Amino acid sequence: MLTVRNLHKAIDRRPVLKQVEFAVAPGLVAGLIGRNGAGKTTLLKTMAGIIDPDHGTVEYEGQSVHRHPSLKREIVFVPDNPEGWFGYTAWGCADLYAQVYPRFDMAYFKDTMRRFGLPVDRNIRHFSKGMRMMFSTALGLSTKARYVLLDEPTNGVDPIAKKQVLSLLMEAAAEGVSLVISSHLLEELERMTDTILLMKDGAVETHTSEDVAGGRVMKLQVVFAGEAPEMWLEGRHVRVLENIGRVYTLLLNTEPGSAAYEELQGMEPLLMEPLPVKLDDLYVWKLGGETDVG
């Protein structure tokens, strides 16, 4: 189990992580989502032991990753741009990682590079962005670490290569590797994850992929009998996703204290059809509408 407890981190005096708490069980695939600048990369690097927290702990099997450096061998961070490896060939990087990670599988690395059609003797600096991401994923999975933390693993990868990368990740998950994947590609995450970690204002909310809204948000298609109730539609418990003529697609807050659904029923609309809440709906509900990217 990889457990994050009461994690705090400030960068340049700006709080990035605040009271972050969650756990990733063995064999679990978790998706990490949030706006640009929300702190996703900082969180992943702190979980991997690359960045030290100001307060709180990251624990692997009950022991602090930062106090016991040997535990970092069980966690590997896969960056979205491996600038730190410029000057090395792919083969040189693999040799270096083999000295750090005791279970590094060189045969698996060679096979995966061949599968991706990537050269092992070329400098990483000369790889395209997509090639770098494919290489980074292959290198990270070759460590055979228990937890692999990936920052935008399909960023800049063409559709065919993207399918290969996702297949590789799912194969690793099927073998019991725990994955934490940061991505803005919500449809991909919805298909492949067990848990969603949503970052906002430095904190993390946990949602199951089977029911991302957790009963807290309802999605409806509504046709009003008369004029659309503008004040109600602009209320803080309602978000309009789409409006075509008299047909509205809405998200409603159903948490205690909100009477939005009951108020809608009282209007006696011509149509009030429930729709499944998707991950992108949760993203819009929780993170949309802000003027800043953080």
Side-chain angles (χ1 to χ4, degrees):
M1 179 83 76
L2 189 64
T3 307
V4 176
R5 298 187 191 278
N6 195 30
L7 210 60
H8 290 252
K9 182 66 183 179
I11 296 178
D12 295 330
R13 298 184 180 180
R14 183 178 74 88
V16 178
L17 306 178
K18 309 177 208 173
Q19 294 183 315
V20 175
E21 294 202 5
F22 62 89
V24 181
L28 197 75
V29 179
L32 178 62
I33 65 173
R35 299 287 294 271
N36 290 329
K40 300 185 297 296
T41 300
T42 299
L43 175 58
L44 293 178
K45 287 184 174 180
T46 306
M47 291 171 66
I50 298 169
I51 294 177
D52 291 331
D54 296 331
H55 302 286
T57 61
V58 178
E59 299 174 3
Y60 174 75
E61 301 298 343
Q63 291 187 299
S64 169
V65 168
H66 295 88
R67 292 181 182 177
H68 302 277
S70 62
L71 297 178
K72 296 178 184 180
R73 296 172 180 171
E74 300 299 339
I75 309 164
V76 62
F77 171 68
V78 179
D80 66 339
N81 190 10
E83 292 181 354
W85 297 325
F86 288 2
Y88 291 89
T89 63
W91 185 254
C93 292
D95 184 61
L96 179 63
Y97 265 49
Q99 297 177 49
V100 176
Y101 293 92
R103 294 191 303 275
F104 191 91
D105 191 335
M106 195 64 76
Y108 175 88
F109 177 74
K110 291 179 185 176
D111 288 343
T112 305
M113 292 291 285
R114 191 179 303 113
R115 176 173 170 179
F116 286 161
L118 298 176
V120 296
D121 57 353
R122 187 185 300 178
N123 193 307
I124 302 304
R125 184 189 302 276
H126 301 135
F127 279 12
S128 68
K129 183 168 180 57
M131 291 169 70
R132 290 172 191 168
M133 202 64 249
M134 295 163 70
F135 157 74
S136 297
T137 303
L139 187 66
L141 292 176
S142 297
T143 65
K144 300 304 175 180
R146 306 294 185 192
Y147 286 82
V148 180
L149 317 180
L150 302 109
D151 196 4
E152 298 283 354
T154 56
N155 186 21
V157 180
D158 68 62
I160 295 174
K162 181 185 298 184
K163 186 176 293 186
Q164 290 180 298
V165 169
L166 294 178
S167 295
L168 193 70
L169 292 176
M170 290 299 92
E171 288 169 13
E175 294 173 359
V177 177
S178 300
L179 306 175
V180 180
I181 305 170
S182 171
S183 178
H184 290 292
L185 301 176
L186 304 184
E187 189 174 339
E188 286 181 4
L189 289 183
E190 194 164 34
R191 289 198 307 266
M192 63 193 294
T193 57
D194 306 297
T195 298
I196 296 296
L197 305 171
L198 185 146
M199 285 200 74
K200 182 180 181 181
D201 298 329
V204 170
E205 292 182 8
T206 304
H207 298 261
T208 67
S209 294
E210 290 183 357
D211 181 11
V212 293
R216 291 169 282 187
V217 182
M218 178 181 291
K219 185 177 181 181
L220 296 168
Q221 190 170 74
V222 177
V223 177
F224 294 99
E227 289 293 323
E230 291 186 12
M231 289 189 63
W232 181 83
L233 289 170
E234 294 172 359
R236 65 188 184 93
H237 295 295
V238 181
R239 186 177 293 277
V240 178
L241 296 178
E242 189 177 46
N243 171 215
I244 302 175
R246 296 171 63 191
V247 181
Y248 286 78
T249 304
L250 308 171
L251 293 177
L252 302 183
N253 184 358
T254 56
E255 293 182 292
S258 170
Y261 182 68
E262 289 76 12
E263 291 167 353
L264 178 60
Q265 286 181 310
M267 299 174 198
E268 298 183 351
L270 298 176
L271 174 71
M272 197 167 74
E273 181 181 356
L275 301 172
V277 180
K278 300 292 186 181
L279 182 55
D280 58 350
D281 298 322
L282 178 70
Y283 189 96
V284 169
W285 179 261
K286 290 286 186 177
L287 305 175
E290 302 292 337
T291 55
D292 64 286
V293 296

